[in-house]
Amino acid sequence: MSLLRLDTSILGPRSSTALLADLVEQEWRAATPDAPVVRRHLGESPLPPTAWAAAVATRFAPPDRHTPEQRDALALASALTDELIAADAVVVAAPLYNFGVSQHLKTWVDLVLTDPRMAPGGRKPLTGKPAVLVTARGGAYGPGTPRDGWDHAIGWMRRMFSDVWELRLDVVERELTLVGVDPALDRFTELAARTRIAAEERARAAGRNLALREGAFPG
Ligand SMILES: Cc1cc2nc3c(=O)[nH]c(=O)nc-3n(C[C@H](O)[C@H](O)[C@H](O)COP(=O)(O)O)c2cc1C
């Protein structure tokens, strides 16, 4: 049993998604104390921004014409895909930034998608693998709020992980993390506290479920 944990926050020790992912990991760890955790922190060690284009460019030239940069990009995509396929379970921590998906997460997904094992119409090596996506946003985006529909990250992440990669996805969401940071949100202090507690409970439950569902993954 092994866990791949992917963090994408750019906020270092202040990260709310890392805190939620810690709770998922702790519960998973309690059920599988000796299992290895492979960590990749894309916010702290971003992937090279030019790697994806270099990997895509290899499709239009025979291997003996690939440049050193293109070969490096293919090797990186292959290593990232190895990590993902080898893991028995996956945790992705990905905040909402500028109403969209973290650029670091997008680069990682784009690169993984260049690997031949992940090509459309292929064997679908991730089908049924249990995964938890934790996400956080500074504001509130639920039905009836002025910004209902402005979170353009969560839909894409669900589409990619659940529908395209066919991971067995559990999603933990926390809102209003900017309460206490942005004075304009002070009136939401109580709601933010309740939302935080609920998200932390959901994260613990997701960690426990992850360990349970892991055994069911056919491999
Ligand atoms: C550069 C930047 C852009 C952000 N953009 C948004 C946004 O568009 N909407 C929102 O609700 N919160 C936004 N936030 C707030 C984050 O979503 C919030 O702080 C979240 O908890 C970040 O997760 P993290 O702490 O794990 O990085 C932004 C924060 C940063 C640093």
Side-chain angles (χ1 to χ4, degrees):
M1 295 298 171
S2 65
L3 180 73
L4 172 63
R5 173 167 168 177
L6 205 70
D7 279 277
T8 62
S9 173
I10 59 169
L11 298 181
R14 291 184 304 282
S15 167
S16 329
T17 51
L19 194 138
L20 289 174
D22 285 347
L23 297 176
V24 175
E25 185 183 331
Q26 277 164 24
E27 293 295 331
W28 177 86
R29 160 75 54 219
T32 53
D34 302 320
V37 179
V38 175
R39 297 173 198 285
R40 206 170 255 283
H41 201 312
L42 300 173
E44 288 175 1
S45 305
L47 300 167
T50 55
W52 176 56
V56 170
T58 62
R59 293 178 189 166
F60 309 105
D64 61 337
R65 303 288 299 274
H66 292 172
T67 66
E69 188 198 7
Q70 289 169 348
R71 279 194 280 273
D72 286 350
L74 288 180
L76 179 58
S78 177
L80 297 174
T81 308
D82 285 347
E83 265 175 14
L84 183 57
I85 292 176
D88 294 300
V90 181
V91 178
V92 177
L96 177 67
Y97 289 144
N98 297 331
F99 308 110
V101 68
S102 140
Q103 62 166 295
H104 300 309
L105 179 66
K106 183 68 166 52
T107 299
W108 178 79
V109 169
D110 284 342
L111 260 174
V112 165
L113 286 171
T114 65
D115 188 278
R117 290 167 289 181
M118 303 299 290
R123 198 180 66 83
K124 295 227 171 240
L126 305 180
T127 299
K129 192 188 294 275
V132 177
L133 168 66
V134 299
T135 189
R137 35 198 176 250
Y141 293 79
T145 62
R147 288 193 168 166
D148 180 8
W150 283 49
D151 178 346
H152 298 285
I154 188 67
W156 180 84
M157 293 191 289
R158 281 183 185 275
R159 181 72 71 211
M160 190 53 67
F161 296 148
S162 195
D163 300 331
V164 178
W165 287 356
E166 298 183 353
L167 293 163
R168 291 172 65 200
L169 192 68
D170 198 355
V171 180
V172 177
E173 301 180 60
R174 183 179 158 202
E175 291 200 320
L176 292 169
T177 63
L178 288 179
V179 170
V181 179
D182 178 354
L185 297 174
D186 279 354
R187 66 204 156 109
F188 299 116
T189 300
E190 272 183 36
L191 177 60
R194 286 201 303 275
T195 306
R196 176 180 182 153
I197 289 167
E200 290 177 357
E201 280 171 7
R202 279 278 302 120
R204 288 192 194 91
R208 288 192 292 276
N209 285 339
L210 193 61
L212 286 176
R213 289 182 300 152
E214 198 181 57
F217 178 54

